[in-house]
Amino acid sequence: MKLQRNGRSKALAIGAMALVSSLSLAACGSDDNNNTTASGASGSGSASAAAINCGKPGALIAAGSTAQGNAIDLWKTTFGAACSGTTINYGGVGSGAGVQQFTQGKVQFAGSDSALKPAEVDQTKAVCTGGQGIDLPMVGGLISLVYNIDGVDNLVLDGPTAAKIFDSQITKWNDPAIAALNPGAKLPDADIQSFHRSDDSGTTDNLTKYFSKASAGAWTYPSSKTWAAKGGQSANGSAGVAAQVKQVKNSISYVELSFAQTNNLKSAAINTGASKPVAATAENAANTFAKAKVTSNGAAGDLTLTLDYATKDEGSYPLVLVTYEIVCDKGNKAETLDTLKAFFTYTASDAGQKAVGEKGYVPLPKELTDKVNAVIPTLA
């Protein structure tokens, strides 16, 4: 693997193919030596018992990315069942709103599919007394281009063609550009109905970063959490756009893979320039994550990733995202700090990553989760 490193308390106002191959999670003592062993760490809700260090009981409030919603639901259920007296409340409001709530001091951590920008880092210093917000990669995923076309089961798209579809430059499913990528497919002479996110979304940000790198100039907008292209219809959150594609014939949108699987939606393969189109699978996304580079936003504990959206490597799916848990490196709320560390220690563990891997996410490379686990004890 080529992961490399390039070099809150003002009181809260209102309460990342290296698939994990071994799953030995050692039990470790909590402050009161009250370890709880919880089965249900796997996506099936059984097997793979994990010894969870619960820390002190507490209530964590968090908000942000809808892409990681299914992962957080699984993690908080397992953690809460193991740790009596602890609750994790997570609001899937979108990455942009989650970061805003964090900088306003309303949540203990935020989930974002994009790392903090410099201006946002500066804003976090008002709530992270003596420190700043840092990005901890926790949820690996891939963005599926999901579609609903009768009789088409194996749609192939490439960067330029997908960008033109989402910018209303290509408006028919039997357009020559789509037909050239899908020889033999019975593409209908039907209008394309594209759906995009209405909320500020890290999934949108990652999709548009892909278009910027891989569309050969067809995408003329800056990458952003806010949708800027022409045409199409909008819906709120990953669940919202997935529901629209499921209901509307001849439609297309973009969601994290777990939402595609939950809604039984078909995902397009991507022609990257490799010898054959790359399917939207966790294994293929893991190949891309394995080559990510770790950078920093200026804080020692920050683990921002640089992803290669334009990869042409065999079996590397380019449309990936990582959801970061944004947290203060210093200045966290004292009464919930222990709970925060315990929850993150579980989510970054082999068992935690394997659990969400069984729900359509991509377990982060072990080399990366080792870095995350080195940062968690330093949170103050």
Side-chain angles (χ1 to χ4, degrees):
M1 286 204 272
K2 301 180 182 178
L3 285 165
Q4 303 169 358
R5 179 163 188 87
N6 306 331
R8 133 200 340 178
S9 137
K10 185 182 286 185
L12 290 170
I14 306 174
M17 160 191 99
L19 295 172
V20 178
S21 60
S22 64
L23 295 169
S24 56
L25 183 65
C28 54
S30 66
D31 289 342
D32 58 2
N33 294 319
N34 186 21
N35 264 11
T36 304
T37 298
S39 59
S42 77
S44 62
S46 62
S48 193
I52 294 177
N53 178 357
C54 296
K56 298 176 182 177
L60 296 178
I61 302 174
S65 162
T66 63
Q68 75 165 356
N70 293 333
I72 291 288
D73 284 346
L74 175 60
W75 283 337
K76 73 180 185 180
T77 298
T78 302
F79 191 82
C83 304
S84 177
T86 292
T87 59
I88 296 99
N89 296 300
Y90 182 81
V93 296
S95 297
V99 171
Q100 184 178 47
Q101 289 190 30
F102 183 80
T103 59
Q104 292 173 345
K106 295 179 179 180
V107 295
Q108 277 82 48
F109 70 92
S112 176
D113 305 327
S114 298
L116 290 168
K117 293 178 170 58
E120 293 170 333
V121 173
D122 287 341
Q123 292 171 355
T124 67
K125 295 176 182 178
V127 293
C128 299
T129 304
Q132 66 172 62
I134 58 173
D135 305 279
L136 296 181
M138 201 69 74
V139 182
L142 67 82
I143 301 173
S144 288
L145 299 181
V146 290
Y147 63 95
N148 182 349
I149 313 170
D150 285 343
V152 179
D153 295 326
N154 299 291
L155 184 69
V156 176
L157 295 172
D158 60 11
T161 305
K164 291 175 183 179
I165 289 172
F166 281 98
D167 191 33
S168 301
Q169 298 177 47
I170 293 176
T171 60
K172 293 281 190 177
W173 277 116
N174 63 348
D175 185 277
I178 303 176
L181 292 165
N182 296 272
K186 296 181 179 179
L187 297 166
D189 182 14
D191 292 338
I192 298 173
Q193 178 57 69
S194 65
F195 288 94
H196 57 266
R197 291 280 291 273
S198 60
D199 52 320
D200 283 1
S201 159
T203 311
T204 296
D205 192 25
N206 283 273
L207 176 73
T208 56
K209 285 177 179 175
Y210 165 71
F211 286 160
S212 295
K213 297 291 186 181
S215 72
W219 189 260
T220 60
Y221 311 94
S223 58
S224 174
K225 295 176 185 176
T226 303
W227 189 258
K230 297 178 295 185
Q233 295 188 37
S234 64
N236 186 69
S238 298
V241 293
Q244 290 297 320
V245 173
K246 190 170 186 177
Q247 295 168 10
V248 178
K249 294 295 183 184
N250 301 312
S251 60
I252 187 170
S253 189
Y254 55 95
V255 293
E256 198 281 326
L257 179 62
S258 70
F259 287 88
Q261 293 180 342
T262 299
N263 290 277
N264 295 315
L265 296 173
K266 300 169 186 174
S267 298
I270 305 295
N271 184 333
T272 64
S275 64
K276 61 181 180 179
V278 185
T281 67
E283 180 180 358
N284 290 338
N287 291 331
T288 303
F289 277 119
K291 298 173 184 177
K293 294 182 179 180
V294 178
T295 58
S296 172
N297 68 8
D302 185 80
L303 296 173
T304 300
L305 298 185
T306 299
L307 300 167
D308 185 3
Y309 298 98
T311 180
K312 296 181 180 181
D313 291 348
E314 299 294 332
S316 290
Y317 186 84
L319 241 176
V320 295
L321 64 80
V322 59
T323 302
Y324 301 94
E325 310 309 343
I326 295 171
V327 64
C328 295
D329 57 356
K330 297 180 181 65
N332 289 282
K333 194 174 181 180
E335 55 267 37
T336 54
L337 177 58
D338 196 55
T339 307
L340 180 69
K341 289 181 177 181
F343 182 61
F344 282 175
T345 298
Y346 166 61
T347 62
S349 71
D350 288 356
Q353 290 291 305
K354 178 178 184 292
V356 295
E358 295 172 355
K359 288 295 186 180
Y361 292 94
V362 184
L364 296 176
K366 185 68 162 61
E367 185 177 349
L368 180 56
T369 56
D370 284 347
K371 293 178 183 294
V372 174
N373 279 308
V375 173
I376 294 170
T378 71
L379 301 178

